[in-house]
Amino acid sequence: MYAVETYQLSKVYGDKKVVNEINLQVKKGSIFGFLGKNGAGKSTFINMITGLTNPTSGSYTLLPDQGSSADKLRSRIGVLPDYSTFYDDLTALGHLKYFSRILGLKVSKSHMEDLLKKVGLEDAINQKAKKFSFGMKKKLGLAQALINEPDLLFLDEPTSGVDANAILNIHEIIQDIAAQGTTIFLTSHNLDEVEKLCDEIAIMDQGTIKTQGTMAQLRHDYQSNITVHIKHSEIQADVETSLNQELKAYGSDVEVSSKHTDLVVSSEQTIAAINRLYLKKDIDIFRIEVNEPTLEEIFLSTGENKQSA
Amino acid sequence: MLTISLKEFKNLFQSIRSIIIICILFGVTLGAAKIVSNFQGQLDQLGLGNNAYATGAMIIVLLAGPLFVLSLSHNVINQELSSRTIRFIATKTTRFNFVTGKMLGVTLFWITCLLIAFLLIIPFSKAFFFLEFAQTFIFILYFVGLSILLSTLIPKPSLTMFIGVSSAVAFTVLGFWSMATDNIFLKIFSFITPYFYYSHAEAYMAFPVLLFPIIFLAISLFVFKRRDL
């Protein structure tokens, strides 16, 4: 069962296709990471599925098990937009009261206070938003997104501009609510954060999704760039030269020294072949280090990001 | 919708500008009522009677009402777009509820102001002028609808401030002018101002003006539903 499904969703501004026929499924109960550099079309995509922007073409479905009533659907969704501005004259508590009433909910004052404490605004419950720092506004933004205990939560850059302690707190909150079954759609420029929190990741570039899957699947897809470091017994200069030549058939960026070899291979099978080559040449292998690609490396290898890296 | 309208209503009452406008409205209404009471005999002879108090209040509304409404509510919609607070609202309720709620809030504010003004006349006139109250309310509602339309069509609050105030002055001047001229263009223009309908002796002629705010609201909703927030 999917919490979010889009079908050929597109947005065109003038003659520029900002979002280009995206088909995306987000599994119910998962934390879905949505990555892309600035201008990739992430925010436009989220704005479309949260109702802030009208799609040029295509369609989408949110929480299909909640029925087709738009009002009911709104009450089951929480959204933290990318840029949060609040009413200067309202306090943090006043904002939560206002937003909960708009949603038609009866939320107790104690519940709202607990929510503000949870996001780290315990000292600013009755403080007016005009005195809030950027980080405090982010926290209030998160609190308002959680006021209805949503089944589907959209978080656009929830930790940008927030201090380190607050980031850890927000991560805990995200993991807590995900554990309760809430589907979370998260965008972030912090790749470590996405790698740490998300079950599934999509990387968007120039309006299209370049790659999508779990971290393991993305790593598998990225196997064309496995960095291998081999520590071996000392070899003579002539063997070093010949090995250097031979290894070029196995991979790229080959660097052979008397005790170490570094190269980039395209598959795990190649590592086995290299192992056999060394055995044939009677070179003892002490250690093989295979560097698993980080999300950052995968991200940078994707589409336009590759060129800008 | 009700939550949005109540917030708008409270905001307008809390604003310093609104307090000043209310004071002016009350002050001038009372002043006019006092002046009118000095000429009570003559007015009775002219057949105006106690209605002269309500007429005084109505003249102020006809002259200054557009300026009051458009200067106070020119940014009723686009302020939320400009500050991007709309992004919280639009994910929680429909755009219809937002725009209609805003219009209801502004309307509620003005109906309260007019009601207080007409209640203040009672000690002088010993009567509540329901018909005149309804007429002034409909007149104000026209400009409430216009302010909703302007702030939906124009995204920048600074621009609607200028256009709103300019429109208020233009509507008042051209509205009155069109009643006293034979210029064909002004006559045509007069049909879309409320002044034309208020220039008739028959009180019921004010009621067709109700159609305008409904049309303004419908256009605003049409435009706002298609807007990217």
Side-chain angles (χ1 to χ4, degrees), chain A residues 215-234:
Chain A
M215 252 331 273
Q217 286 168 333
L218 294 185
R219 281 198 182 105
H220 182 264
D221 294 345
Y222 186 77
Q223 291 301 322
S224 58
N225 287 303
I226 305 169
T227 305
V228 184
H229 176 77
I230 304 166
K231 189 179 177 187
H232 48 71
S233 56
E234 194 163 357

Side-chain angles (χ1 to χ4, degrees), chain A residues 275-307:
Chain A
N275 194 22
R276 286 195 293 274
L277 176 72
Y278 275 61
L279 286 172
K280 194 177 161 188
K281 287 185 175 289
D282 206 21
I283 303 168
D284 295 328
I285 292 176
F286 302 134
R287 187 191 295 167
I288 297 177
E289 288 174 6
V290 177
N291 290 336
E292 276 201 313
T294 61
L295 183 58
E296 187 178 355
E297 287 170 314
I298 297 169
F299 176 73
L300 290 173
S301 74
T302 309
E304 184 70 18
N305 304 315
K306 192 175 187 175
Q307 292 160 29

Side-chain angles (χ1 to χ4, degrees), chain B residues 12 15-29 60 64-73 109-110 113 140:
Chain B
L12 284 167
S15 152
I16 292 170
R17 280 181 306 170
S18 69
I19 293 165
I20 293 168
I21 286 171
I22 292 165
C23 288
I24 293 169
L25 191 66
F26 292 168
V28 177
T29 305
I60 292 152
L67 193 63
F68 285 167
V69 176
L70 285 163
S71 62
L72 202 63
S73 304
F109 168 77
W110 282 105
C113 289
I140 288 290

